[in-house]
Amino acid sequence: MLKLATILLIGSGAAIYLNTQVLKDDQPVEFISRVSLETNCELDLNSFALKNLTTGKIAPFKHGEAFIRAARDHELKVVMAPKYSLVSMDGEEFIAEPNLDVFQDCSKEVTLSNIFDSMNNQFGQKD
Protein backbone atom coordinates (compact mmCIF):
# COMPACT_ATOMS: atom_id res chain seq x y z
CA MET A 1 0.00 0.00 0.00
CA LEU A 2 2.86 2.38 0.77
CA LYS A 3 4.46 1.62 -2.61
CA LEU A 4 1.20 2.41 -4.41
CA ALA A 5 0.80 5.71 -2.54
CA THR A 6 4.41 6.65 -3.35
CA ILE A 7 3.95 5.84 -7.04
CA LEU A 8 0.73 7.88 -7.18
CA LEU A 9 2.40 10.82 -5.42
CA ILE A 10 5.39 10.78 -7.79
CA GLY A 11 3.10 10.38 -10.81
CA SER A 12 0.93 13.29 -9.73
CA GLY A 13 3.96 15.48 -9.17
CA ALA A 14 5.34 14.60 -12.61
CA ALA A 15 1.99 15.34 -14.26
CA ILE A 16 1.74 18.73 -12.57
CA TYR A 17 5.33 19.56 -13.58
CA LEU A 18 4.74 18.58 -17.21
CA ASN A 19 1.53 20.56 -17.36
CA THR A 20 3.05 23.74 -15.92
CA GLN A 21 6.51 23.64 -17.51
CA VAL A 22 6.85 21.55 -20.63
CA LEU A 23 3.42 21.81 -22.27
CA LYS A 24 2.98 25.52 -21.74
CA ASP A 25 6.38 26.30 -23.29
CA ASP A 26 5.28 24.64 -26.55
CA GLN A 27 2.04 26.60 -26.85
CA PRO A 28 2.23 30.20 -28.09
CA VAL A 29 1.05 32.78 -25.59
CA GLU A 30 -1.63 34.97 -27.13
CA PHE A 31 -2.00 38.66 -26.45
CA ILE A 32 -3.75 41.70 -27.89
CA SER A 33 -1.28 43.51 -30.13
CA ARG A 34 -1.63 47.30 -30.23
CA VAL A 35 -0.33 48.56 -33.57
CA SER A 36 0.12 52.27 -34.29
CA LEU A 37 0.23 53.20 -37.97
CA GLU A 38 1.92 56.13 -39.65
CA THR A 39 2.04 56.62 -43.39
CA ASN A 40 3.12 59.01 -46.07
CA CYS A 41 -0.01 58.03 -48.04
CA GLU A 42 -2.62 60.47 -49.29
CA LEU A 43 -5.29 58.20 -47.80
CA ASP A 44 -6.96 58.53 -44.42
CA LEU A 45 -5.56 56.14 -41.78
CA ASN A 46 -9.04 54.65 -41.40
CA SER A 47 -8.67 53.32 -44.97
CA PHE A 48 -6.22 50.72 -43.69
CA ALA A 49 -6.60 47.55 -41.63
CA LEU A 50 -4.34 45.05 -39.95
CA LYS A 51 -4.44 41.39 -40.93
CA ASN A 52 -3.09 38.50 -38.87
CA LEU A 53 -1.68 36.30 -41.64
CA THR A 54 -1.59 33.31 -39.31
CA THR A 55 -5.25 33.41 -38.27
CA GLY A 56 -6.77 35.41 -41.14
CA LYS A 57 -8.45 37.87 -38.75
CA ILE A 58 -8.63 41.54 -39.78
CA ALA A 59 -8.83 44.59 -37.49
CA PRO A 60 -9.48 48.09 -38.87
CA PHE A 61 -7.31 51.05 -37.95
CA LYS A 62 -9.20 53.73 -36.05
CA HIS A 63 -7.38 57.00 -35.50
CA GLY A 64 -4.11 55.31 -36.45
CA GLU A 65 -4.38 52.33 -34.08
CA ALA A 66 -5.53 48.74 -34.47
CA PHE A 67 -5.91 46.01 -31.86
CA ILE A 68 -5.67 42.35 -32.88
CA ARG A 69 -5.23 39.02 -31.11
CA ALA A 70 -1.84 37.46 -31.92
CA ALA A 71 1.07 35.43 -30.61
CA ARG A 72 4.79 36.18 -30.95
CA ASP A 73 5.16 33.78 -33.89
CA HIS A 74 2.25 35.31 -35.86
CA GLU A 75 2.82 37.53 -38.88
CA LEU A 76 0.83 40.75 -39.27
CA LYS A 77 0.32 42.83 -42.41
CA VAL A 78 -1.07 46.26 -43.26
CA VAL A 79 -3.94 45.86 -45.76
CA MET A 80 -6.80 47.98 -47.06
CA ALA A 81 -9.89 48.12 -44.84
CA PRO A 82 -12.53 45.47 -45.70
CA LYS A 83 -14.95 48.13 -46.98
CA TYR A 84 -12.45 48.66 -49.83
CA SER A 85 -12.44 44.98 -50.82
CA LEU A 86 -11.74 45.72 -54.49
CA VAL A 87 -8.67 47.80 -53.64
CA SER A 88 -5.45 45.85 -53.27
CA MET A 89 -2.23 46.88 -51.60
CA ASP A 90 0.99 45.08 -50.76
CA GLY A 91 1.45 46.40 -47.22
CA GLU A 92 4.21 46.04 -44.69
CA GLU A 93 4.60 42.66 -42.96
CA PHE A 94 6.04 42.15 -39.48
CA ILE A 95 6.14 39.73 -36.56
CA ALA A 96 3.56 40.37 -33.85
CA GLU A 97 4.57 42.09 -30.61
CA PRO A 98 2.36 43.48 -27.83
CA ASN A 99 3.08 47.09 -28.94
CA LEU A 100 4.23 48.05 -32.42
CA ASP A 101 4.78 51.24 -34.37
CA VAL A 102 4.49 50.59 -38.11
CA PHE A 103 5.21 52.83 -41.09
CA GLN A 104 3.44 52.17 -44.40
CA ASP A 105 5.43 53.69 -47.26
CA CYS A 106 3.26 54.81 -50.17
CA SER A 107 6.00 56.81 -51.85
CA LYS A 108 6.88 53.84 -54.04
CA GLU A 109 5.41 54.79 -57.38
CA VAL A 110 4.21 51.26 -58.12
CA THR A 111 2.39 50.92 -54.79
CA LEU A 112 0.73 54.32 -55.00
CA SER A 113 -0.38 53.89 -58.60
CA ASN A 114 -1.73 50.40 -57.80
CA ILE A 115 -3.79 51.79 -54.92
CA PHE A 116 -5.24 54.61 -57.04
CA ASP A 117 -5.87 52.32 -60.03
CA SER A 118 -7.72 49.89 -57.78
CA MET A 119 -9.75 52.72 -56.24
CA ASN A 120 -10.64 54.08 -59.68
CA ASN A 121 -11.76 50.60 -60.75
CA GLN A 122 -13.93 50.23 -57.65
CA PHE A 123 -15.39 53.72 -57.39
CA GLY A 124 -14.99 55.13 -60.92
CA GLN A 125 -17.86 55.60 -63.31
CA LYS A 126 -18.95 52.58 -65.28
CA ASP A 127 -19.36 53.06 -69.04
Side-chain angles (χ1 to χ4, degrees), residues 17-88:
Y17 175 78
L18 284 173
N19 188 35
T20 58
Q21 299 298 320
V22 176
L23 295 179
K24 288 192 177 180
D25 289 343
D26 291 342
Q27 299 171 353
V29 176
E30 287 193 348
F31 51 86
I32 302 296
S33 181
R34 178 180 181 238
V35 180
S36 298
L37 177 68
E38 288 195 33
T39 74
N40 58 357
C41 304
E42 295 180 20
L43 301 171
D44 185 79
L45 290 177
N46 295 340
S47 301
F48 298 97
L50 185 65
K51 181 173 185 176
N52 184 326
L53 297 176
T54 307
T55 65
K57 299 285 184 186
I58 297 175
F61 278 98
K62 293 182 182 172
H63 307 291
E65 290 188 327
F67 298 88
I68 195 164
R69 183 173 299 282
R72 292 198 187 268
D73 61 342
H74 289 185
E75 290 184 12
L76 305 177
K77 182 176 184 173
V78 176
V79 297
M80 294 303 295
K83 64 183 174 183
Y84 303 113
S85 61
L86 298 177
V87 179
S88 62

Side-chain angles (χ1 to χ4, degrees), residues 5-18:
T6 304
I7 291 172
L8 289 175
L9 183 61
I10 291 172
S12 297
I16 291 171
Y17 175 78
L18 284 173

